[in-house]
Each structure stands twice: as C-alpha cells, then as structure tokens.
Amino acid sequence: MMETRHTSVPGVIMGSVLLFFCQQALAGEYSDIIDEEYLRSQFTYAAGDKLKYSQCKKKTYPTCTYIWGAESKQDAARTKYGLTPGGNKLQVIYAPAKSKKDFERVLATYKDAEKIDGLAAEAAWSNKRKQLSMITDKNLIIHINVEDKGPSDAREKATIIAHDILKKL
C-alpha cells in the first residue's frame, strides 16, 4: 500500500521561516569582515562623506554591499522606492562552490580576465566589470566589485581587500 504524505500549512510556514533565518545567518557570518573604519582606511572619503548603506544579506549568495559618499536629496527618493543610495560602492559576494571547475565557469564569463598570482587558490581581475574574482582552497568563490568615484586604482583596492578578507575567513 502506498503511503501519502500531507504537508501541513504550519509545517510549510515553519520551513520557510527556518530557511529565511538560515539564509540570514549565512549572510551574517560575513557581516563583520568589513566595517566603516575599514572602508575609510582603504578609500578616500571627501569632507562630509559617510557610510550611507551597509548590508549583508542572502540574495542568490551572501552579498555584502557598502555605499558611502555625501548625502543627497536623490538618496531619500531612491530609498523610498527600495533602491540603494547613490555613491561609491563596494560589493562582496561569497559563493560556495562544489569544486575548482565552478571557478572555471566564472572565468569563462570574463572576456578580459587577467590572472592575479599569489592570491587565494586562483584569482582574476576584470577591468570592464571592475571586479576581482577568486576561489579559496575551501572552494569559496568571492567576487569583489569596486565602484569608487574618487582617485583610486580599483584593481589595487580590490586586491588589498581580497587579501584582508582571506585573513579574516
């Protein structure tokens, strides 16, 4: 005789709640890696600039976004519609991989990949994307995207940040 299983509505709700909190916990484990003090040490803040947005949350993968700059009237309008404020931006994505082959697929999407030696198990820079991608020995793929309107070398900044992240993992 075939057994039928019925899922109760409270069971589905509880499962959804647990999934949400597990996703937030995954994102949260990366939230202490970068703070405003660290950003100020790495990037040039103009007079009146401040950290306007800092959030680590689970999208497809744990994603930490930091936006800084001077407050503007457009920021209020953007946040009213659920958008992030404008300004300089650092975004770090932490994507668990099954194997090094997953990183090969990442590199295949970069038309301008430049290998970076001596960083993680493997790393590459895309000038077009202003993004550094690397894979650790534990198969964690990390993407570091830098959008700095100030005078900086995005590749150099991303490389320094990558080294600092690796030290904290």
Side-chain angles (χ1 to χ4, degrees):
M1 180 180 230
M2 193 165 147
E3 180 182 328
T4 37
R5 302 182 110 205
H6 297 281
T7 305
S8 67
V9 172
V12 170
I13 292 171
M14 181 58 92
S16 297
V17 168
L18 285 173
L19 179 61
F20 171 78
F21 283 113
C22 288
Q23 289 176 338
Q24 294 308 309
L26 279 174
E29 74 182 73
Y30 301 110
S31 64
D32 293 335
I33 293 177
I34 295 174
D35 59 15
E36 184 172 13
E37 182 180 333
Y38 179 80
L39 291 171
R40 285 183 179 275
S41 75
Q42 295 302 319
F43 297 96
T44 303
Y45 272 55
D49 282 0
K50 68 175 202 163
L51 183 61
K52 299 193 288 185
Y53 183 87
S54 174
Q55 187 173 56
C56 290
K57 63 182 180 180
K58 177 83 164 71
K59 294 181 178 181
T60 304
Y61 298 106
T63 303
C64 297
T65 305
Y66 312 91
I67 300 172
W68 66 96
E71 288 288 333
S72 71
K73 291 178 183 175
Q74 289 83 14
D75 289 340
R78 292 176 60 83
T79 55
K80 178 181 175 182
Y81 294 106
L83 302 171
T84 58
N88 299 298
K89 181 177 175 182
L90 171 65
Q91 188 167 63
V92 184
I93 301 168
Y94 301 90
K98 291 181 181 148
S99 71
K100 303 279 189 252
K101 288 190 182 241
D102 291 337
F103 192 67
E104 291 171 17
R105 284 192 286 279
V106 167
L107 293 180
T109 66
Y110 283 56
K111 297 200 185 311
D112 64 339
E114 299 173 27
K115 185 176 179 179
I116 299 174
D117 292 321
L119 182 61
E122 189 174 351
W125 170 256
S126 167
N127 199 51
K128 181 178 179 182
R129 294 181 185 189
K130 301 292 185 226
Q131 181 168 291
L132 182 150
S133 294
M134 63 182 171
I135 187 166
T136 68
D137 291 332
K138 295 180 181 177
N139 293 330
L140 177 63
I141 296 173
I142 303 171
H143 302 284
I144 301 168
N145 179 270
V146 177
E147 295 176 28
D148 185 10
K149 297 173 175 106
S152 75
D153 177 1
R155 178 181 174 156
E156 181 182 332
K157 290 291 183 198
T159 303
I160 291 166
I161 292 166
H163 280 289
D164 291 343
I165 288 172
L166 290 171
K167 288 177 196 172
K168 293 182 177 185
L169 289 179

